[in-house]
Each structure stands twice: as C-alpha cells, then as structure tokens.
Amino acid sequence: MGEILGNLIAGTGLFFVGLRMITMGLKQMAGRRLRMLFARWTDAPLRTVLIGLLCGLILQSMPAVSFIVASLIATGILIVRRALPVIFWANAGTSLFVLVAVLDVRVLFLFALGVAGLALAFEKPARYQPLASALFGIGIVFYGLAMLRAGATPLAELSWFEAALLQGQRSFFVAFLVSALFAVVARSGSAVTILAITFTQAGLLSAEQTFMVIYGANFGSGIITWILAAALKGKPKQVVMSQVLFNAVGSAVFVSLFYLELYGGIPLVRALIRRTSAPLEYQMACVHLLFNWGSAAALSLATHP
C-alpha cells in the first residue's frame, strides 16, 4: 500500500509541476507576438477560429486566454463580437492537449525530457530556454502519468476499493460535483480530465463516471474564470463571462444528454463514442473533444444573438 500511495502522490505532484512548466514556458514564448496576431487575424471568421485554437493550444489555460482577450478589448484593439469566437475556439484548442496526453508517445517524450533537461541545466541556447522549459514540462507530465498508472492499477484490484467504486456508480452526479471542485482547486479542467482518463485506464473509474467527471471538470473551469472576473467591469468582463457561459451551457447540454441516454434509452453521445471501437482512453479523450469542439461550433453560430 505504501508503494501504491507513493506512486499516486509522486505522479500527481510531477503531473501538476509539469503542467505549470508547460504553461510558463509557452507564455514566455508567446508574449507580444500573440497580441499582434490577435489584432491582425480577428477580422475574418476562419482566421478568428484559427487564432482561438492556437491560443488555447499554446497557453493551456482558459482564464489566461480570457484575460488576454479582455485586456485587448480594454485597449481598443478588439471588439466584443470579434473576441467571442476566439474564446469559444480557445476551449477547443486546450482540449487537444488531452488527446496528446493519451497517445502512446512515451519514447518520444523521454527524448524530449533528456534534451530539454540538458538545455536547462547548461542554459544553452539561451534564446530557447522558454521552449526547453515547456518541453521539459511535457516530459514531466508524461512521467507523472506513468507513475499514476503504476499506482492506480494495483489499487483497482483491492476488494475494498472495488466495493467503494461500485457504490460510487450509483450517483453519477456526485462525480460531476467532485470533479468540478477539483477543477477549481487545481485551476485546470484539462488536468482533472487527464487524471480521470488515467484512472479509467487503470480501472478506478467506469466509463459513465468518467463522462460526468469530464463534464464536471469543464464546469469547474468556468467557475475559476467567474471567480477571477469578479473585479472586472464593462466590456472586458463581458468577454470573460462568455467563457463562463461556454462551460455552463456545454455542461447543461451534455449532462442532459447523458441522463437522457442513460434512462431514456436513446442512443446519443455514449453510443456515438462506442461506435469508434477505439481503446477506452481514446474514447474518453473523444468525449472531451466533442464537448469543447461541439460547444465552440454551436456558440460561434450564436455569436450575433
């Protein structure tokens, strides 16, 4: 049990440190250039989608994207109507990291971890230190996930834990609430989603529980943004609150579809995902992608209203 807990605690610590290094490194790389891209590319719908995807993929933090966009609106570089699709599609961009996290690319990231570690240790080349920091963070994230799997797999085989798991399956909404809380504490919905998928692979969560964990994590991400936006006013706050709206609407729709499928017997999201015949971890990553890409497309079409 000591070894199991050690792997779980160490893996969790490495995972969150790695995420922080990725975010900090990529933010340093983006800087002024990202703001210039906002100003140039948000004058056409397709380019607005692309800049949103790029920002979400680079920053991996919707509060960060929301407040950057809000600052551009405050300075007059952007208008609210052009900014809303950026916010919506940035969510789709952040979801791509979840897909990468479940791919079997461990050897590639071991090389990245080694090369980036040497670059950071010797501080050469100096101009690429932020990139080295981000790559090292990616390697740490994957190493942390490997430790989590190593700790979680034997835990799932314990009889008392299996009994607790079966008990938890009786209330899927509890999984939604707990994951939303964890997302607020961790300040990252994607992080909670990746951890949930890792535990699903190890047999600690059922597929149905993971559905609700994913929806809850996205809802919790909106709560984080809402809390941080308390001091804002006017148009900047409108844009930041559009991120809260994104997560609230998406969660309401997908949770409703979940229960409609579960108790009404109507084939919806769960049936669609199962038709892919992909491994379980890929199916769960697709649920996260469907939530964010589907919500982004729907809300983009409703931008004017």
Side-chain angles (χ1 to χ4, degrees), residues 89-290:
W89 286 100
N91 285 275
T94 60
S95 68
L96 293 174
F97 184 70
V98 174
L99 180 61
V100 173
V102 301
L103 296 176
D104 189 9
V105 287
R106 289 168 292 181
V107 175
L108 175 63
F109 285 107
L110 284 175
F111 280 106
L113 186 62
V115 172
L118 290 171
L120 289 172
F122 295 102
E123 299 183 354
K124 294 184 181 298
R127 64 180 297 185
Y128 293 117
Q129 288 299 292
L131 176 60
S133 178
L135 287 176
F136 192 77
I138 291 173
I140 290 293
V141 163
F142 279 84
Y143 191 69
L145 288 174
M147 293 191 72
L148 281 168
R149 291 190 191 101
T153 301
L155 186 63
E157 298 171 357
L158 299 177
S159 57
W160 64 267
F161 192 89
E162 185 178 357
L165 181 64
L166 292 173
Q167 185 71 22
Q169 289 180 1
R170 297 179 182 177
S171 178
F172 295 113
F173 196 68
V174 171
F176 177 91
L177 294 176
V178 171
S179 63
L181 178 61
F182 277 143
V184 173
V185 173
R187 293 194 294 179
S188 173
S190 295
V192 175
T193 297
I194 293 170
L195 290 175
I197 293 174
T198 302
F199 291 150
T200 306
Q201 284 180 277
L204 301 187
L205 294 173
S206 67
E208 288 76 15
Q209 283 176 307
T210 308
F211 272 70
M212 291 297 278
V213 168
I214 292 170
Y215 301 155
N218 280 280
F219 183 75
S221 179
I223 295 175
I224 302 165
T225 308
W226 177 65
I227 293 171
L228 294 175
L232 293 179
K233 295 180 180 180
K235 291 182 179 180
K237 185 162 187 174
Q238 291 177 5
V239 174
V240 175
M241 290 303 291
S242 72
Q243 169 60 18
V244 180
L245 176 72
F246 179 94
N247 288 285
V249 171
S251 298
V253 170
F254 278 87
V255 168
S256 299
L257 293 176
F258 175 84
Y259 280 110
L260 189 60
E261 185 170 16
L262 185 66
Y263 296 113
I266 303 172
L268 296 167
V269 177
R270 187 171 54 166
L272 176 64
I273 296 300
R274 285 180 174 176
R275 285 178 65 88
T276 63
S277 300
L280 184 60
E281 61 271 23
Y282 295 114
Q283 291 184 22
M284 297 302 102
C286 286
V287 173
H288 185 68
L289 288 174
L290 185 60

Side-chain angles (χ1 to χ4, degrees), residues 34-46:
L34 191 60
R35 292 174 182 268
M36 295 298 292
L37 279 174
F38 268 114
R40 292 178 183 176
W41 281 31
T42 53
D43 59 347
L46 181 58

